[in-house]
Amino acid sequence: MDLGAEDLKIPGSDERDFALKPLDFKVTGKESAEAQRPTWNNRMEFILASVGYAVGLGNIWRFPYLCYRSGGGAFLFPYLTMVLLCGLPLLFMEFSIGQYTRLGPVHALARICPLLKGVGLATVVISFVFCTYHNVLMSWALFYFFNSFEATLPWTSCNNTWNVVENCSSGFPGNTSHLQSASQQFFDQRLLEKTHGIEESGGVRWELFGYLILSWVIVYLCIFKGVKSTGKVVYFTAVFPYFILFALLINNVQLPGAKNGILYFVTPVWDKLFEVKVWVNAAAQVFNSIGIAFGSMISMASYNKFNNNILRDALIVTFTNCFTSILAGFVIFSAIGYMAHIHNLPVDNIATDGPGLVFVVYPEVLSTIPVHQLWAPLFFFMLLCLGLDSQFAIAEVAITFIKDEFGPQVLRFLKREELLTLAVCIVGFALGIPHVTEGGIYVFQLMDHYTAVVSLMFLAFFEVVAVCWIFGVSRICLMITKMLGKTANIYFRVCWGLLCPVLVLCILIASIVQYTPAHYETYTYPKWAEGVGWGVSLVSIVWIPIGAIHEICSNKGSFLQRVKTAMIPTLDLDADDALAEKQNIDNPAAENLMTSVA
């Protein structure tokens, strides 16, 4: 898309510059940068990249646990409801924004709603903060992957130098016992060398430091050519995990006790549907899993051709993500049922949340199943692929923003675009170092709680308000008409105009009311650490009021006139002739509709 300066004028108003920079908030119309913007080689690359981003580690550890804790099979009802009323419509909306504007989230949202232009920058900040600690999980997966090639898996015995023998059980003692499994001690004492709290940072875990470098090197080699290199990598990283999941499922269902685990997973407890927290958990899972409000989907869609069928893509990504979550639930709980059987424990005494499910419980499962020398490396390699796909998209948000905003200046300084990607990776690696200290797990949990839990729903709410209510459903439909040759149906229009904003607002209020401070297992963070956590949240959220204040102060007239002017989009939806020519639209129906609209 190529919008010149004349396209950014509002009839009857003074000429203004709506661009968004961290300091001066200016949108610069970079015609040459947009005209030369690369595209995916084909539609499949975009679909696989989007699926790879949406399907991540949260599908493996978070969704199964939420199901078991929130009513088993009954949880599927609020989950699928939230997918249909929020997940799919908002994903389609973000795809539409990215593909139509051909810009990253900062510049796209600044043109759609100048008053809330800070939302775009907030999504970039939250994504970059997320990528700094998300890659730490890849270092853990690499650590387990290389250790799984030993003849005897090292997390099966209590006779190692790192074990606390008096508290160690070579079996699985369950959640209610004072004993720790050998697998738990391997995670705490060997992988993390965990201290007693965030107050004790300890030294750097040099093994994890090396694996963190390796994980960032892998990320860089996969994205340094932009969508041209990422598009090739996702053919493997997005598809391979499904072979492993199906293979594990076939293997697990044949194990004794697997049936009991699966029944525990799917048996509905209908009373849970009347708990508000269950619905909040379902919505949070949808937003975190699909990646709404992180800016990644807008960034990836901005590399599409103008008339790519994003409705089809949104349907594929959404329902593939749902299917993967449910598939992972069967894989995990069939294994947990087997664990409960061999250790004579109830299923709910084994299931756990977060990293412990895939780095403590499942390694214990792998050590007891036949041919563990094969399954253990494959499982951790699958985790690596799942995490890398998400990391590609998260890192791309920051890279896209820098190229959109500072492209010519940066390229004059760095000479090559690959060096920009390298610089982003180096900064991300440096900010991830505190997570690989001996007290790093406490830093990781604090960052994750205040980034992925607290900040996300605030950003989602203001993004939905900016696009659905201020920019308006009619303008969204006009964008879609120009791209696809037909408008959005009544289902999407009702969701955008009413259901999505109201549901997101309800979820935000419920999240605030039910807020609980961060904790790790039985450890409670000190007050100063909670303050740091809120500071991490504000790093992204603060750009929303800053952007609004800047925009209002930049306008002329009374306060009310300034606010009204700030709510007028600078994205000229009538300037489509040059747009169609530059994007080589090959859809005659779309061309005719655009001509009639103009």
Side-chain angles (χ1 to χ4, degrees):
M1 178 178 180
D2 189 12
L3 295 179
E6 68 277 11
D7 297 321
L8 300 179
K9 294 180 182 178
I10 298 175
S13 68
D14 294 330
E15 181 175 349
R16 299 178 298 143
D17 190 352
F18 284 105
L20 182 57
K21 288 183 182 178
L23 296 177
D24 58 9
F25 289 90
K26 290 184 179 180
V27 173
T28 54
K30 299 178 177 60
E31 298 186 15
S32 59
E34 292 180 18
Q36 299 171 6
R37 194 178 191 83
T39 59
W40 301 97
N41 289 321
N42 55 64
R43 293 172 175 176
M44 183 57 68
E45 290 185 357
F46 170 66
I47 292 173
L48 289 176
S50 300
V51 168
Y53 167 65
V55 176
L57 294 174
N59 298 77
I60 304 298
W61 76 42
R62 182 70 175 159
F63 178 82
Y65 180 77
L66 283 177
C67 266
Y68 126 81
R69 193 179 68 179
S70 305
F75 179 73
L76 294 178
F77 179 75
Y79 173 72
L80 293 176
T81 300
M82 289 298 175
V83 167
L84 292 175
L85 299 185
C86 280
L88 175 59
L90 293 182
L91 179 61
F92 186 28
M93 182 191 79
E94 289 200 347
F95 278 173
S96 301
I97 293 170
Q99 183 166 301
Y100 187 88
T101 63
R102 301 212 76 209
L103 293 168
V106 174
H107 297 80
L109 292 173
R111 293 183 178 183
I112 281 174
C113 180
L115 179 65
L116 293 178
K117 60 187 179 181
V119 173
L121 185 56
T123 62
V124 173
V125 173
I126 194 175
S127 290
F128 189 70
V129 170
F130 185 71
C131 88
T132 62
Y133 70 83
H134 180 267
N135 222 26
V136 174
L137 295 173
M138 300 304 96
S139 69
W140 296 356
L142 285 168
F143 183 90
Y144 272 84
F145 174 72
F146 286 111
N147 275 275
S148 63
F149 286 102
E150 296 185 17
T152 301
L153 295 176
W155 52 80
T156 60
S157 169
C158 289
N159 299 322
N160 303 289
T161 56
W162 60 81
N163 290 122
V164 182
V165 179
E166 59 271 19
N167 292 331
C168 186
S169 170
S170 57
F172 198 86
N175 297 333
T176 59
S177 172
H178 70 283
L179 298 176
Q180 286 186 314
S181 67
S183 180
Q184 181 70 59
Q185 291 202 355
F186 181 84
F187 180 74
D188 289 342
Q189 309 301 331
R190 178 69 180 91
L191 172 73
L192 303 175
E193 294 187 8
K194 187 178 68 172
T195 61
H196 294 96
I198 198 170
E199 306 91 337
E200 306 173 33
S201 62
V204 174
R205 285 280 293 110
W206 292 109
E207 277 183 284
L208 290 182
F209 183 87
Y211 285 125
L212 184 62
I213 293 176
L214 178 58
S215 63
W216 274 109
V217 168
I218 295 171
V219 170
Y220 173 74
L221 293 176
C222 293
I223 68 172
F224 78 106
K225 289 288 187 181
V227 295
K228 298 300 181 183
S229 59
T230 305
K232 300 295 186 297
V233 175
V234 293
Y235 278 105
F236 177 78
T237 56
V239 174
F240 176 76
Y242 289 96
F243 287 101
I244 303 303
L245 283 173
F246 278 111
L248 286 170
L249 179 62
I250 293 170
N251 178 78
N252 290 358
V253 295
Q254 301 177 63
L255 299 173
K259 179 181 177 181
N260 294 333
I262 292 173
L263 288 175
Y264 192 93
F265 170 57
V266 301
T267 302
V269 181
W270 298 111
D271 292 343
K272 290 283 188 177
L273 292 180
F274 298 99
E275 297 181 13
V276 174
K277 191 171 184 179
V278 170
W279 291 84
V280 173
N281 287 339
Q285 175 63 19
V286 170
F287 276 79
N288 278 285
S289 183
I290 296 178
I292 303 298
F294 279 101
S296 298
M297 292 304 191
I298 296 177
S299 293
M300 290 194 292
S302 71
Y303 296 104
N304 277 337
K305 294 180 180 179
F306 184 75
N307 64 330
N308 179 59
N309 189 345
I310 43 176
L311 175 56
R312 174 206 59 196
D313 297 345
L315 288 167
I316 292 173
V317 173
T318 300
F319 291 110
T320 300
N321 180 65
C322 293
F323 168 76
T324 307
S325 295
I326 296 170
L327 173 64
F330 280 98
V331 171
I332 295 296
F333 272 87
S334 59
I336 289 177
Y338 168 64
M339 283 284 293
H341 173 79
I342 62 175
H343 293 298
N344 197 27
L345 291 169
V347 172
D348 61 357
N349 209 2
I350 291 180
T352 186
D353 186 17
L357 188 58
V358 292
F359 291 111
V360 176
V361 176
Y362 214 86
E364 179 73 19
V365 175
L366 293 170
S367 66
T368 61
I369 63 176
V371 201
H372 62 77
Q373 296 88 347
L374 170 66
W375 293 116
L378 285 177
F379 177 77
F380 292 112
F381 188 67
M382 178 194 72
L383 294 184
L384 184 64
C385 290
L386 288 171
L388 286 174
D389 281 335
S390 299
Q391 190 71 14
F392 298 160
I394 298 167
E396 187 60 43
V397 175
I399 296 168
T400 298
F401 163 64
I402 295 172
K403 287 193 292 188
D404 285 348
E405 179 65 16
F406 309 105
Q409 300 95 310
V410 170
L411 290 179
R412 276 197 298 269
F413 176 72
L414 296 177
K415 306 301 181 184
R416 300 185 62 177
E417 198 170 295
E418 293 87 342
L419 294 178
L420 168 61
T421 304
L422 178 62
V424 170
C425 290
I426 290 175
V427 173
F429 160 74
L431 293 176
I433 293 176
H435 302 282
V436 294
T437 61
E438 293 172 357
I441 185 62
Y442 302 104
V443 182
F444 175 90
Q445 190 70 16
L446 186 73
M447 294 283 286
D448 187 54
H449 181 81
Y450 285 96
T451 301
V453 178
V454 176
S455 301
L456 181 61
M457 294 314 301
F458 278 95
L459 300 192
F461 173 70
F462 284 106
E463 179 183 311
V464 170
V465 169
V467 180
C468 296
W469 279 355
I470 299 179
F471 185 67
V473 175
S474 60
R475 290 190 177 103
I476 301 173
C477 292
L478 183 56
M479 288 166 48
I480 292 169
T481 298
K482 292 182 178 184
M483 291 186 290
L484 303 184
K486 57 183 179 181
T487 191
N489 60 35
I490 186 66
Y491 157 67
F492 287 108
R493 296 201 298 272
V494 171
C495 287
W496 291 329
L498 178 63
L499 298 180
C500 289
V502 171
L503 284 174
V504 173
L505 177 60
C506 292
I507 295 163
L508 176 60
I509 294 172
S511 300
I512 295 172
V513 171
Q514 298 183 356
Y515 165 78
T516 55
H519 64 90
Y520 178 68
E521 295 178 341
T522 59
Y523 173 76
T524 302
Y525 286 86
K527 294 298 182 183
W528 67 263
E530 289 185 31
V532 171
W534 280 108
V536 170
S537 292
L538 291 175
V539 164
S540 59
I541 297 173
V542 72
W543 293 106
I544 299 174
I546 289 177
I549 293 170
H550 178 271
E551 185 62 32
I552 292 171
C553 293
S554 300
N555 296 336
K556 296 180 180 179
S558 66
F559 177 78
L560 186 59
Q561 289 173 328
R562 293 181 182 212
V563 172
K564 287 182 177 179
T565 303
M567 295 171 70
I568 300 174
T570 63
L571 184 68
D572 192 345
L573 293 173
D574 292 324
D576 52 42
D577 292 336
L579 176 66
E581 182 179 351
K582 283 187 176 293
Q583 298 304 319
N584 297 317
I585 292 180
D586 54 7
N587 186 339
E591 291 188 24
N592 294 335
L593 274 169
M594 288 192 299
T595 303
S596 64
V597 170

